[in-house]
Amino acid sequence: MSTARHEEFDVAVVGGGPAGSTLASLVAMRGHRVLLLEKETFPRYQIGESLLPSTIHGICHLLGVDEEIAEAGFLRKRGGTFRWGANPTPWNFAFSVSPKVAGPTSFAYQVERSKFDKILLDNSARKGVDVRQNRTVTDVVEGEDGRVRGLRYTDPDGTEHEVSARYVVDASGNTGRLHKRVGGSRKYSDFFRSLALFGYFENGKRLPAPNSGNILCVAFSHGWFWYIPLSDTLTSVGAVVRREDAARIQGDPEEAMRALIDECPMIGEYLAGATRVTTGQYGQLRVRKDYSYHHTNFWRPGMVLVGDAACFVDPVFSSGVHLATYSALLAARSINSVLDGKVGEQRAFDEFEARYRREYSVFYEFLTSFYDMHIDEDSYFWSAKKVTKSSDTELESFVELVAGMSSTEFNLTDTEAGVLRLKQRSAEFADAVDTLVEAREENMTPLFRSSVVRQAMQEGSQVQTRAQLGDEAGEVAPVFDGGLVATPDGMSWSEPDPVR
Ligand code: FAD
């Protein structure tokens, strides 16, 4: 092994998924020197195909790729269709009638991640990021003062490189190991602890118009299925089941998938005339487990975690790419503010961490309510997904996560308060869905009476509105008492206006 010359950057990003490419572009757009290292060569396969509007009309707009994405031929997603809850009637969650995300930007896309992620990564290169693929980062470099001051990576011929950077960003996703170097630990969730088995089918049935581009989620006794249309003929189909079913699934995935489809009549009906894809990037059945966790620390001097490297809740409401790109936006603002000499490091990263934890907690609560709402007394899977059955450690972990947030909506002091809050919010959400189903129409108003739904949509729609309105939509009030606000261009932080 040989060692190459030493290089210096302002920021070195590990991983070229949506979190890494978003952060790298937003920092390079401010004129800083950014290196991005990706261990694979794009296009590469990734799961996580169903997106939310704020990613498309908020983050992608800031990145300047919304037109390219609009022209890429991805299917439009008006929302989600759920066969889920106490009532057997499927119900729709449409983005278009949410009070804040109304109008021409009230849709998202179902994307083939190999294409979507490549568009974002190619854009980073166009924005001036030094993108190097097929390079594996092996470790971070610490200075004598304990600050992270760079990283080491290996290129395809085995040459080891050491790079200096004022910030190292770990965006290496679920499988990376660098997150350990930020300190603290990764805490896995008991509540969301499940396993996903997924594959791709040609010629599956579509929901009736205008919802044919919706994600369809169907609960059944052993778990639930996602059914995501990726083109007129291609569909991503996945079953989320108990972690304890791992042996059965890994033994013969093909047989396990067939048996699970047989147990879920609606998915069986949708796949009746379909064939499973058996070649190319979609040719195999894949399994993912241990995907629900959060890291106790999100940053340390010189290093920050974004996207799945920091946390992921659950696949049920398409929040992964939203949290990945949103955290990248927050971290980019903090890095830009510090590199520009506008805000001190501690203050800038406290803002990043508080907002990121809050958004993660909002989705954690929303998704807990989603599971808690479904009623199937005889099912091991669904009875384990009751808030009242959650273990103390799970709830302590949730309370820990939101503790210290000075905003009123997260005013929790102990585990008991955490349980009470989760129970109340779940019941409220279940009532809202019942009202929606009874109304038998596409009027989302009942859902927005539920505080978990309102909160889950709130920050995304603000990111979207600010990105669309540009300089006219500067943030006026801080999210947290004594906190910072986003600058009008959305790219960094500033102190709030003292007169307000
Ligand atoms: P990634 O997309 O994982 O990118 C990380 C990159 O880092 C990779 O390209 C990897 O090659 C690279 N890398 C890793 N280690 C190194 C290294 N040492 N050196 C250099 N490069 C490295 N989200 C949704 O929004 N919608 C969905 O419908 C959805 N469904 C899901 C279903 C399942 C079963 C699961 C488990 C997740 C799902 N998600 C979904 C979540 C989504 O997959 C992730 O949240 C998202 O991909 C995170 O993006 P990222 O950029 O953080 O990480």
Short mmCIF file of all heavy atoms in Angstrom, two decimals, residues 288-342:
data_model
loop_
_atom_site.label_atom_id
_atom_site.label_comp_id
_atom_site.label_asym_id
_atom_site.label_seq_id
_atom_site.Cartn_x
_atom_site.Cartn_y
_atom_site.Cartn_z
N ARG A 288 -33.85 -6.21 4.97
CA ARG A 288 -33.20 -5.20 5.84
C ARG A 288 -33.74 -5.35 7.25
O ARG A 288 -34.94 -5.57 7.46
CB ARG A 288 -33.51 -3.78 5.33
CG ARG A 288 -32.77 -3.38 4.08
CD ARG A 288 -31.34 -2.93 4.34
NE ARG A 288 -31.25 -1.74 5.15
CZ ARG A 288 -31.18 -0.50 4.67
NH1 ARG A 288 -31.17 -0.29 3.37
NH2 ARG A 288 -31.10 0.54 5.49
N LYS A 289 -32.86 -5.24 8.21
CA LYS A 289 -33.28 -5.29 9.61
C LYS A 289 -32.44 -4.29 10.40
O LYS A 289 -31.51 -3.70 9.84
CB LYS A 289 -33.12 -6.71 10.17
CG LYS A 289 -31.74 -7.25 10.06
CD LYS A 289 -31.65 -8.71 10.46
CE LYS A 289 -30.20 -9.14 10.33
NZ LYS A 289 -29.93 -10.50 10.41
N ASP A 290 -32.74 -4.10 11.66
CA ASP A 290 -31.99 -3.18 12.53
C ASP A 290 -31.84 -1.80 11.90
O ASP A 290 -30.77 -1.19 11.94
CB ASP A 290 -30.58 -3.74 12.82
CG ASP A 290 -30.66 -5.07 13.56
OD1 ASP A 290 -31.65 -5.25 14.29
OD2 ASP A 290 -29.75 -5.89 13.39
N TYR A 291 -32.93 -1.32 11.31
CA TYR A 291 -32.83 0.00 10.64
C TYR A 291 -33.41 1.14 11.47
O TYR A 291 -33.37 2.28 11.06
CB TYR A 291 -33.51 -0.06 9.26
CG TYR A 291 -34.88 -0.68 9.23
CD1 TYR A 291 -35.96 -0.07 9.85
CD2 TYR A 291 -35.10 -1.88 8.56
CE1 TYR A 291 -37.23 -0.64 9.81
CE2 TYR A 291 -36.37 -2.46 8.53
CZ TYR A 291 -37.42 -1.83 9.16
OH TYR A 291 -38.68 -2.39 9.14
N SER A 292 -33.97 0.82 12.64
CA SER A 292 -34.62 1.88 13.40
C SER A 292 -33.80 2.24 14.64
O SER A 292 -33.70 1.44 15.58
CB SER A 292 -36.02 1.40 13.82
OG SER A 292 -36.67 2.43 14.50
N TYR A 293 -33.20 3.42 14.64
CA TYR A 293 -32.28 3.81 15.72
C TYR A 293 -32.05 5.31 15.68
O TYR A 293 -32.39 5.98 14.70
CB TYR A 293 -30.92 3.09 15.53
CG TYR A 293 -30.34 3.33 14.17
CD1 TYR A 293 -29.74 4.53 13.83
CD2 TYR A 293 -30.44 2.36 13.17
CE1 TYR A 293 -29.25 4.78 12.56
CE2 TYR A 293 -29.97 2.60 11.89
CZ TYR A 293 -29.37 3.80 11.59
OH TYR A 293 -28.91 4.06 10.33
N HIS A 294 -31.48 5.81 16.74
CA HIS A 294 -30.90 7.17 16.69
C HIS A 294 -29.59 7.16 17.44
O HIS A 294 -29.41 6.39 18.38
CB HIS A 294 -31.87 8.22 17.27
CG HIS A 294 -32.03 8.14 18.76
ND1 HIS A 294 -32.96 7.32 19.35
CD2 HIS A 294 -31.37 8.75 19.77
CE1 HIS A 294 -32.88 7.44 20.67
NE2 HIS A 294 -31.91 8.30 20.96
N HIS A 295 -28.69 8.00 16.99
CA HIS A 295 -27.41 8.13 17.68
C HIS A 295 -27.59 9.14 18.81
O HIS A 295 -28.30 10.13 18.64
CB HIS A 295 -26.33 8.62 16.71
CG HIS A 295 -24.96 8.20 17.14
ND1 HIS A 295 -24.39 7.02 16.76
CD2 HIS A 295 -24.08 8.80 17.98
CE1 HIS A 295 -23.20 6.92 17.33
NE2 HIS A 295 -22.99 8.00 18.08
N THR A 296 -26.97 8.88 19.96
CA THR A 296 -27.17 9.80 21.10
C THR A 296 -26.51 11.16 20.83
O THR A 296 -26.99 12.17 21.33
CB THR A 296 -26.63 9.20 22.41
OG1 THR A 296 -25.29 8.78 22.19
CG2 THR A 296 -27.47 8.00 22.86
N ASN A 297 -25.41 11.19 20.10
CA ASN A 297 -24.76 12.48 19.76
C ASN A 297 -24.88 12.69 18.26
O ASN A 297 -24.70 11.74 17.50
CB ASN A 297 -23.26 12.45 20.06
CG ASN A 297 -22.98 12.18 21.52
OD1 ASN A 297 -23.87 11.85 22.28
ND2 ASN A 297 -21.72 12.31 21.91
N PHE A 298 -25.16 13.92 17.86
CA PHE A 298 -25.24 14.20 16.42
C PHE A 298 -24.00 14.93 15.90
O PHE A 298 -23.80 15.07 14.71
CB PHE A 298 -26.49 15.03 16.10
CG PHE A 298 -27.80 14.25 16.09
CD1 PHE A 298 -27.84 12.89 16.35
CD2 PHE A 298 -28.99 14.89 15.80
CE1 PHE A 298 -29.04 12.18 16.34
CE2 PHE A 298 -30.20 14.19 15.79
CZ PHE A 298 -30.22 12.84 16.06
N TRP A 299 -23.18 15.45 16.82
CA TRP A 299 -21.96 16.15 16.36
C TRP A 299 -20.92 16.23 17.47
O TRP A 299 -21.25 16.01 18.64
CB TRP A 299 -22.30 17.55 15.84
CG TRP A 299 -22.59 18.56 16.94
CD1 TRP A 299 -23.74 18.68 17.65
CD2 TRP A 299 -21.70 19.57 17.43
NE1 TRP A 299 -23.63 19.70 18.56
CE2 TRP A 299 -22.39 20.27 18.44
CE3 TRP A 299 -20.40 19.96 17.11
CZ2 TRP A 299 -21.82 21.35 19.15
CZ3 TRP A 299 -19.82 21.03 17.80
CH2 TRP A 299 -20.53 21.71 18.80
N ARG A 300 -19.71 16.50 17.09
CA ARG A 300 -18.65 16.84 18.02
C ARG A 300 -17.77 17.85 17.28
O ARG A 300 -17.91 17.98 16.05
CB ARG A 300 -17.83 15.62 18.43
CG ARG A 300 -17.01 15.05 17.28
CD ARG A 300 -16.22 13.82 17.67
NE ARG A 300 -14.88 14.17 18.13
CZ ARG A 300 -13.86 13.30 18.11
NH1 ARG A 300 -14.03 12.07 17.64
NH2 ARG A 300 -12.69 13.66 18.54
N PRO A 301 -16.89 18.58 17.96
CA PRO A 301 -16.10 19.57 17.21
C PRO A 301 -15.40 18.94 16.00
O PRO A 301 -14.67 17.96 16.14
CB PRO A 301 -15.12 20.08 18.27
CG PRO A 301 -15.90 19.96 19.55
CD PRO A 301 -16.68 18.68 19.40
N GLY A 302 -15.71 19.47 14.82
CA GLY A 302 -15.07 19.00 13.59
C GLY A 302 -15.80 17.86 12.89
O GLY A 302 -15.41 17.46 11.79
N MET A 303 -16.87 17.34 13.49
CA MET A 303 -17.56 16.19 12.85
C MET A 303 -19.07 16.26 13.09
O MET A 303 -19.51 16.63 14.17
CB MET A 303 -17.04 14.89 13.44
CG MET A 303 -17.68 13.66 12.85
SD MET A 303 -16.94 12.13 13.48
CE MET A 303 -17.86 10.92 12.52
N VAL A 304 -19.85 15.88 12.06
CA VAL A 304 -21.30 15.92 12.20
C VAL A 304 -21.92 14.72 11.46
O VAL A 304 -21.38 14.26 10.45
CB VAL A 304 -21.83 17.30 11.70
CG1 VAL A 304 -21.43 17.57 10.27
CG2 VAL A 304 -23.34 17.42 11.83
N LEU A 305 -23.02 14.21 12.01
CA LEU A 305 -23.75 13.09 11.38
C LEU A 305 -25.02 13.61 10.72
O LEU A 305 -25.75 14.40 11.33
CB LEU A 305 -24.20 12.06 12.42
CG LEU A 305 -23.20 11.45 13.38
CD1 LEU A 305 -23.89 10.36 14.23
CD2 LEU A 305 -22.03 10.83 12.63
N VAL A 306 -25.31 13.14 9.51
CA VAL A 306 -26.57 13.48 8.85
C VAL A 306 -27.18 12.22 8.23
O VAL A 306 -26.48 11.24 7.97
CB VAL A 306 -26.40 14.57 7.74
CG1 VAL A 306 -26.08 15.92 8.36
CG2 VAL A 306 -25.36 14.17 6.72
N GLY A 307 -28.49 12.27 7.99
CA GLY A 307 -29.18 11.15 7.33
C GLY A 307 -29.16 9.89 8.18
O GLY A 307 -29.12 9.94 9.42
N ASP A 308 -29.17 8.75 7.50
CA ASP A 308 -29.23 7.47 8.21
C ASP A 308 -28.01 7.23 9.10
O ASP A 308 -28.05 6.36 9.97
CB ASP A 308 -29.33 6.31 7.21
CG ASP A 308 -30.76 6.05 6.75
OD1 ASP A 308 -31.63 6.90 7.01
OD2 ASP A 308 -31.00 5.00 6.13
N ALA A 309 -26.93 7.93 8.89
CA ALA A 309 -25.78 7.78 9.80
C ALA A 309 -26.19 8.22 11.20
O ALA A 309 -25.70 7.70 12.20
CB ALA A 309 -24.60 8.62 9.31
N ALA A 310 -27.14 9.18 11.27
CA ALA A 310 -27.59 9.69 12.57
C ALA A 310 -28.82 8.97 13.08
O ALA A 310 -28.89 8.59 14.25
CB ALA A 310 -27.87 11.19 12.46
N CYS A 311 -29.82 8.78 12.21
CA CYS A 311 -31.07 8.18 12.69
C CYS A 311 -32.00 7.80 11.54
O CYS A 311 -31.91 8.36 10.45
CB CYS A 311 -31.81 9.16 13.61
SG CYS A 311 -32.19 10.75 12.87
N PHE A 312 -32.88 6.87 11.83
CA PHE A 312 -33.98 6.53 10.91
C PHE A 312 -35.09 5.94 11.76
O PHE A 312 -34.81 5.20 12.71
CB PHE A 312 -33.52 5.54 9.83
CG PHE A 312 -34.65 5.08 8.92
CD1 PHE A 312 -35.31 5.99 8.12
CD2 PHE A 312 -35.05 3.75 8.90
CE1 PHE A 312 -36.37 5.59 7.30
CE2 PHE A 312 -36.10 3.34 8.08
CZ PHE A 312 -36.76 4.26 7.28
N VAL A 313 -36.36 6.27 11.45
CA VAL A 313 -37.44 5.77 12.28
C VAL A 313 -37.99 4.47 11.70
O VAL A 313 -37.81 3.39 12.25
CB VAL A 313 -38.59 6.80 12.44
CG1 VAL A 313 -39.55 6.34 13.53
CG2 VAL A 313 -38.08 8.18 12.76
N ASP A 314 -38.65 4.56 10.55
CA ASP A 314 -39.40 3.41 10.03
C ASP A 314 -39.86 3.73 8.61
O ASP A 314 -40.10 4.90 8.31
CB ASP A 314 -40.62 3.17 10.93
CG ASP A 314 -41.34 1.88 10.63
OD1 ASP A 314 -40.93 0.84 11.16
OD2 ASP A 314 -42.31 1.91 9.84
N PRO A 315 -40.03 2.71 7.76
CA PRO A 315 -40.44 3.00 6.38
C PRO A 315 -41.88 3.49 6.22
O PRO A 315 -42.24 3.93 5.13
CB PRO A 315 -40.30 1.67 5.66
CG PRO A 315 -39.65 0.72 6.58
CD PRO A 315 -39.71 1.30 7.96
N VAL A 316 -42.74 3.43 7.26
CA VAL A 316 -44.17 3.56 6.98
C VAL A 316 -44.65 4.87 6.37
O VAL A 316 -45.59 4.87 5.60
CB VAL A 316 -45.03 3.19 8.22
CG1 VAL A 316 -45.10 4.29 9.23
CG2 VAL A 316 -46.45 2.84 7.77
N PHE A 317 -44.08 6.00 6.65
CA PHE A 317 -44.61 7.22 6.03
C PHE A 317 -43.56 7.95 5.20
O PHE A 317 -43.55 9.18 5.10
CB PHE A 317 -45.21 8.15 7.10
CG PHE A 317 -46.09 9.23 6.51
CD1 PHE A 317 -47.38 8.94 6.09
CD2 PHE A 317 -45.61 10.51 6.34
CE1 PHE A 317 -48.18 9.93 5.51
CE2 PHE A 317 -46.40 11.51 5.76
CZ PHE A 317 -47.68 11.21 5.35
N SER A 318 -42.62 7.22 4.58
CA SER A 318 -41.69 7.82 3.62
C SER A 318 -40.89 8.97 4.21
O SER A 318 -40.66 9.98 3.55
CB SER A 318 -42.46 8.36 2.41
OG SER A 318 -43.41 7.46 1.95
N SER A 319 -40.44 8.82 5.47
CA SER A 319 -39.76 9.96 6.09
C SER A 319 -38.24 9.91 5.93
O SER A 319 -37.55 10.88 6.26
CB SER A 319 -40.09 10.02 7.58
OG SER A 319 -39.70 8.80 8.20
N GLY A 320 -37.68 8.80 5.43
CA GLY A 320 -36.22 8.63 5.42
C GLY A 320 -35.48 9.67 4.62
O GLY A 320 -34.55 10.33 5.12
N VAL A 321 -35.88 9.85 3.36
CA VAL A 321 -35.16 10.81 2.51
C VAL A 321 -35.46 12.24 2.98
O VAL A 321 -34.61 13.12 2.90
CB VAL A 321 -35.50 10.59 1.02
CG1 VAL A 321 -34.86 11.64 0.14
CG2 VAL A 321 -35.06 9.19 0.58
N HIS A 322 -36.67 12.45 3.52
CA HIS A 322 -36.96 13.77 4.09
C HIS A 322 -35.99 14.08 5.23
O HIS A 322 -35.35 15.14 5.26
CB HIS A 322 -38.41 13.84 4.59
CG HIS A 322 -38.65 14.97 5.54
ND1 HIS A 322 -38.57 16.29 5.14
CD2 HIS A 322 -38.92 15.00 6.87
CE1 HIS A 322 -38.80 17.08 6.20
NE2 HIS A 322 -39.00 16.31 7.26
N LEU A 323 -35.86 13.14 6.20
CA LEU A 323 -34.97 13.39 7.33
C LEU A 323 -33.51 13.52 6.86
O LEU A 323 -32.74 14.31 7.41
CB LEU A 323 -35.08 12.28 8.38
CG LEU A 323 -36.32 12.33 9.28
CD1 LEU A 323 -36.44 11.07 10.11
CD2 LEU A 323 -36.30 13.55 10.20
N ALA A 324 -33.15 12.74 5.85
CA ALA A 324 -31.77 12.79 5.34
C ALA A 324 -31.46 14.15 4.72
O ALA A 324 -30.45 14.79 5.03
CB ALA A 324 -31.55 11.67 4.32
N THR A 325 -32.35 14.63 3.85
CA THR A 325 -32.06 15.89 3.16
C THR A 325 -32.30 17.09 4.08
O THR A 325 -31.60 18.10 3.99
CB THR A 325 -32.91 16.01 1.87
OG1 THR A 325 -34.28 15.81 2.19
CG2 THR A 325 -32.48 14.99 0.83
N TYR A 326 -33.27 16.97 4.99
CA TYR A 326 -33.54 18.06 5.93
C TYR A 326 -32.36 18.22 6.89
O TYR A 326 -31.90 19.34 7.16
CB TYR A 326 -34.83 17.76 6.70
CG TYR A 326 -35.16 18.74 7.79
CD1 TYR A 326 -35.57 20.04 7.49
CD2 TYR A 326 -35.05 18.38 9.13
CE1 TYR A 326 -35.87 20.94 8.51
CE2 TYR A 326 -35.35 19.28 10.14
CZ TYR A 326 -35.75 20.55 9.82
OH TYR A 326 -36.05 21.45 10.82
N SER A 327 -31.83 17.09 7.40
CA SER A 327 -30.68 17.20 8.31
C SER A 327 -29.47 17.76 7.56
O SER A 327 -28.66 18.50 8.13
CB SER A 327 -30.34 15.84 8.94
OG SER A 327 -30.00 14.89 7.95
N ALA A 328 -29.35 17.41 6.28
CA ALA A 328 -28.25 17.94 5.48
C ALA A 328 -28.38 19.46 5.34
O ALA A 328 -27.39 20.20 5.42
CB ALA A 328 -28.23 17.27 4.11
N LEU A 329 -29.61 19.93 5.14
CA LEU A 329 -29.84 21.38 5.04
C LEU A 329 -29.45 22.07 6.35
O LEU A 329 -28.76 23.09 6.35
CB LEU A 329 -31.32 21.64 4.71
CG LEU A 329 -31.81 23.08 4.82
CD1 LEU A 329 -31.15 23.97 3.76
CD2 LEU A 329 -33.34 23.17 4.67
N LEU A 330 -29.89 21.48 7.48
CA LEU A 330 -29.57 22.09 8.78
C LEU A 330 -28.06 22.12 9.02
O LEU A 330 -27.50 23.13 9.46
CB LEU A 330 -30.23 21.30 9.92
CG LEU A 330 -31.76 21.25 9.96
CD1 LEU A 330 -32.22 20.39 11.14
CD2 LEU A 330 -32.37 22.63 10.05
N ALA A 331 -27.39 20.99 8.73
CA ALA A 331 -25.93 20.93 8.96
C ALA A 331 -25.20 21.87 8.02
O ALA A 331 -24.21 22.51 8.41
CB ALA A 331 -25.44 19.49 8.79
N ALA A 332 -25.69 21.98 6.77
CA ALA A 332 -25.05 22.90 5.81
C ALA A 332 -25.16 24.33 6.31
O ALA A 332 -24.21 25.11 6.22
CB ALA A 332 -25.70 22.76 4.43
N ARG A 333 -26.32 24.68 6.87
CA ARG A 333 -26.47 26.04 7.42
C ARG A 333 -25.46 26.28 8.54
O ARG A 333 -24.85 27.35 8.61
CB ARG A 333 -27.88 26.22 8.01
CG ARG A 333 -28.96 26.40 6.97
CD ARG A 333 -30.30 26.54 7.68
NE ARG A 333 -31.39 26.61 6.73
CZ ARG A 333 -32.67 26.43 7.07
NH1 ARG A 333 -33.00 26.15 8.32
NH2 ARG A 333 -33.61 26.52 6.16
N SER A 334 -25.29 25.28 9.41
CA SER A 334 -24.35 25.45 10.53
C SER A 334 -22.92 25.58 10.01
O SER A 334 -22.18 26.46 10.45
CB SER A 334 -24.47 24.27 11.50
OG SER A 334 -25.77 24.24 12.03
N ILE A 335 -22.55 24.70 9.08
CA ILE A 335 -21.18 24.75 8.55
C ILE A 335 -20.94 26.08 7.83
O ILE A 335 -19.92 26.75 8.04
CB ILE A 335 -20.93 23.53 7.62
CG1 ILE A 335 -20.88 22.25 8.46
CG2 ILE A 335 -19.65 23.70 6.81
CD1 ILE A 335 -20.82 20.95 7.67
N ASN A 336 -21.89 26.47 6.98
CA ASN A 336 -21.72 27.74 6.24
C ASN A 336 -21.58 28.92 7.22
O ASN A 336 -20.73 29.80 7.02
CB ASN A 336 -22.92 27.99 5.32
CG ASN A 336 -22.87 27.12 4.07
OD1 ASN A 336 -21.80 26.68 3.65
ND2 ASN A 336 -24.03 26.85 3.48
N SER A 337 -22.40 28.93 8.27
CA SER A 337 -22.36 30.04 9.23
C SER A 337 -21.00 30.12 9.92
O SER A 337 -20.45 31.21 10.10
CB SER A 337 -23.41 29.87 10.32
OG SER A 337 -24.66 29.63 9.75
N VAL A 338 -20.45 28.95 10.29
CA VAL A 338 -19.17 28.96 11.00
C VAL A 338 -18.04 29.31 10.02
O VAL A 338 -17.19 30.16 10.32
CB VAL A 338 -18.90 27.59 11.67
CG1 VAL A 338 -17.54 27.59 12.36
CG2 VAL A 338 -20.00 27.28 12.68
N LEU A 339 -18.04 28.68 8.84
CA LEU A 339 -16.96 28.97 7.87
C LEU A 339 -16.99 30.43 7.44
O LEU A 339 -15.95 31.02 7.16
CB LEU A 339 -17.07 28.05 6.65
CG LEU A 339 -16.81 26.55 6.87
CD1 LEU A 339 -16.95 25.78 5.56
CD2 LEU A 339 -15.43 26.29 7.48
N ASP A 340 -18.17 31.02 7.37
CA ASP A 340 -18.28 32.44 6.99
C ASP A 340 -17.99 33.38 8.17
O ASP A 340 -18.05 34.59 8.03
CB ASP A 340 -19.71 32.76 6.47
CG ASP A 340 -20.00 32.05 5.15
OD1 ASP A 340 -19.05 31.57 4.51
OD2 ASP A 340 -21.19 31.97 4.78
N GLY A 341 -17.74 32.80 9.34
CA GLY A 341 -17.43 33.61 10.53
C GLY A 341 -18.64 34.36 11.07
O GLY A 341 -18.50 35.36 11.77
N LYS A 342 -19.84 33.88 10.79
CA LYS A 342 -21.05 34.61 11.20
C LYS A 342 -21.59 34.14 12.57
O LYS A 342 -22.21 34.91 13.29
CB LYS A 342 -22.16 34.41 10.15
CG LYS A 342 -21.81 35.00 8.78
CD LYS A 342 -22.06 36.48 8.82
CE LYS A 342 -21.72 37.33 7.65
NZ LYS A 342 -21.43 36.95 6.39
#
